[in-house]
Amino acid sequence: MLRLPQNIFKIGLKAHPIRSLNTNWSLKTNVFQFLRQTRLSSTWSRYNKHYGRNKIDWDRLKKPALFTATFCVATTFAAPYLFKIPPFSVFQYNPKLLVYTIIGLNVAGFLAWKSPVFSRYMTRYGLLVKDNVRSQWSLLGSAFSHQDPFHLLFNMLMLFSFGTSFSATIGAANFLTLYLNAAVFSSFFSLAVPTLMRTSLAVASLGASGALFGVLGAFSYLIPNAAVLLFFIPFPGGAWALFLFSAALNAAGIFMKWGRYDYTAHLGGSLAGVYYGWYYSNIIKKRNARRQVIWRP
């Protein structure tokens, strides 16, 4: 609710008590001037001016962007060879075990916050402090970090629901590439959007949600008509409809600022997942094309 000063409605009424048209015009003019002054002196305007953020700080994004690009390229090319080396080769024959391992790492991250010895390392590598990124590895580590048990439980249930079957479908190497790259890109997206919008960066985020939305994005792109359940209730339209609904919800959350969720990370993970789904589908098409036998008379 916007509170206006009482005397703003009196301007013009005293000068022209009979001429209602002039009174209304004067009233509208003063209200417009007041709203304009209020907008220009809003909290974020004064905040950006005080800290010199009237312009986009591109330097803040250089190191995270370089880390994200380097990590995603390295993971994409290294993951297939990694699973050919023991003991990682066991994941190639049992992709579900990879999902269980990721769940175990998230549980370990949760327990590390409870330890006075490891909590200081989690603060540096497991927490994405947007206004002061202490380590670029926090773009990855924050995706394996949870402080709230219900947050951890919900995310791991989602990972178990989608990950166990999807990892068996696309293979362990592809699933790991998808999960890690979506995690890092969602963290970078979470830094980039507030920087470009010049909103507050004085917040920190953690959790596997960005990577999970990446899994959902790739799953819905590759299997759009798959039946999915939302809180044990069938979602009409299938996986792709659920993805579009979640993407619209996260996009709205960025501008409406609902609750304390990192909607930018969710949306970034979704975009990364759809891109990987498109990338993987093209690989399958090229592989199938090479396997076709052309018969000539």
Side-chain angles (χ1 to χ4, degrees):
M1 182 180 294
L2 181 62
R3 297 179 62 184
L4 301 179
Q6 295 180 356
N7 59 354
I8 195 172
F9 297 101
K10 297 180 181 179
I11 300 176
L13 291 176
K14 293 182 179 179
H16 304 281
I18 300 177
R19 300 176 183 178
S20 59
L21 293 176
N22 293 336
T23 299
N24 293 335
W25 175 257
S26 179
L27 175 61
K28 292 178 181 179
T29 301
N30 286 281
V31 170
F32 175 78
Q33 292 177 352
F34 176 80
L35 292 175
R36 182 181 180 185
Q37 292 174 359
T38 303
R39 179 177 62 84
L40 294 176
S41 62
S42 62
T43 302
W44 291 123
S45 297
R46 288 186 279 110
Y47 177 87
N48 292 331
K49 183 178 180 180
H50 178 76
Y51 289 100
R53 293 175 180 170
N54 290 324
K55 297 181 179 180
I56 298 175
D57 188 3
W58 295 104
D59 292 335
R60 185 184 296 276
L61 299 177
K62 287 182 179 179
K63 289 183 178 180
L66 180 61
F67 177 85
T68 301
T70 304
F71 181 88
C72 291
V73 171
T75 304
T76 302
F77 286 98
Y81 298 98
L82 178 66
F83 288 106
K84 296 180 180 180
I85 305 173
F88 301 104
S89 58
V90 68
F91 296 123
Q92 188 173 359
Y93 303 102
N94 191 1
K96 292 183 179 180
L97 185 60
L98 175 62
V99 177
Y100 301 147
T101 302
I102 295 176
I103 293 175
L105 291 174
N106 278 274
V107 173
F110 170 76
L111 296 177
W113 279 108
K114 309 301 179 183
S115 170
V117 178
F118 296 105
S119 60
R120 59 176 181 173
Y121 296 103
M122 295 299 295
T123 302
R124 182 177 181 84
Y125 301 105
L127 187 66
L128 184 62
V129 183
K130 300 182 182 182
D131 202 30
N132 182 23
V133 180
R134 300 179 61 186
S135 172
Q136 302 304 321
W137 285 101
S138 63
L139 275 73
L140 175 65
S142 59
F144 293 86
S145 176
H146 298 80
Q147 292 182 338
D148 184 84
F150 295 102
H151 187 200
L152 172 67
L153 179 62
F154 180 79
N155 282 346
M156 294 306 100
L157 284 176
M158 293 295 293
L159 176 59
F160 177 80
S161 300
F162 284 96
T164 50
S165 59
F166 193 48
S167 61
T169 302
I170 65 175
N174 291 310
F175 185 83
L176 182 65
T177 301
L178 164 65
Y179 191 88
L180 295 182
N181 289 351
V184 172
F185 183 79
S186 66
S187 297
F188 172 73
F189 201 75
S190 179
L191 291 173
V193 170
T195 302
L196 297 177
M197 295 178 64
R198 291 178 295 171
T199 55
S200 176
L201 289 168
V203 291
S205 64
L206 76 172
S209 303
L212 294 177
F213 274 100
V215 174
L216 174 62
F219 177 87
S220 60
Y221 185 90
L222 294 172
I223 318 174
N225 296 322
V228 292
L229 301 178
L230 184 62
F231 299 108
F232 306 102
I233 301 175
F235 193 87
W240 186 247
L242 175 61
F243 170 77
L244 294 178
F245 173 76
S246 65
L249 193 65
N250 288 320
I254 294 175
F255 296 98
M256 301 301 294
K257 296 179 175 60
W258 295 327
R260 57 189 184 94
Y261 302 103
D262 195 346
Y263 295 102
T264 52
H266 296 175
L267 187 59
S270 300
L271 296 175
V274 169
Y275 171 78
Y276 193 82
W278 171 83
Y279 171 79
Y280 180 77
S281 65
N282 286 337
I283 293 178
I284 296 300
K285 290 177 181 178
K286 292 179 181 179
R287 186 182 303 171
N288 293 335
R290 286 194 296 265
R291 291 178 179 177
Q292 290 180 355
V293 179
I294 300 177
W295 295 92
R296 293 183 179 178

